[in-house]
Amino acid sequence: MAPVTGGGSERTPLLPGGGGSGHSSGALRSGNPFGVEPEQLTDMLDPKDVDKLLDLGGPDQICKALLVDPKVGLKQREQVGPGSEPFQARREVFGRNTLPEAHAVTFLQLLAAAYNDRTL
């Protein structure tokens, strides 16, 4: 999977579609069955902000809005809406839970870096 691009911020991989859509005002987009937007969660977590956590109602209210049981987590075969695939609504709102591929460094690049390092 190619890394998510856009915005030039380190926060962009946390948001589906690259972020930067400006929906942090608290208004929910149409079609979002959850009581919180991805941007609100990102603003709360990056950087960590306890005040924003409290603005969203605290951990219990966030779990309730995300339709998650804090003791169990997600249901194994979650369906939000009639006739939908498991987790389809969650993927549409929050995106897939994947990390961008890490850039691999070859042995020759490591060798060149060690050779050019003056501290050795």
Side-chain angles (χ1 to χ4, degrees):
M1 179 176 163
V4 177
T5 58
S9 168
E10 291 180 26
R11 295 168 22 144
T12 55
L14 300 175
L15 301 175
S21 59
H23 283 88
S24 60
S25 66
L28 295 178
R29 284 178 257 190
S30 64
N32 183 353
F34 306 101
V36 66
E37 288 291 331
E39 292 83 2
Q40 292 173 306
L41 296 174
T42 300
D43 289 343
M44 178 186 67
L45 294 173
D46 186 25
K48 291 183 173 103
D49 190 343
V50 176
D51 292 330
K52 289 184 182 177
L53 171 69
L54 297 176
D55 288 344
L56 292 173
D60 291 332
Q61 189 62 33
I62 291 173
C63 288
K64 185 177 178 181
L66 292 174
L67 308 176
V68 173
D69 183 349
K71 295 178 184 167
V72 179
L74 295 174
K75 296 174 186 166
Q76 199 169 31
R77 300 286 297 167
E78 174 188 74
Q79 287 186 309
V80 178
S84 64
E85 288 184 31
F87 304 106
Q88 178 181 352
R90 198 171 294 276
R91 274 190 219 109
E92 288 173 3
V93 173
F94 298 105
R96 296 196 57 86
N97 187 17
T98 58
L99 294 174
E101 291 182 25
H103 173 69
V105 179
T106 67
F107 177 72
L108 288 177
Q109 289 172 323
L110 291 173
L111 186 64
Y115 179 76
N116 293 324
D117 189 357
R118 295 179 187 226
T119 59
L120 295 176

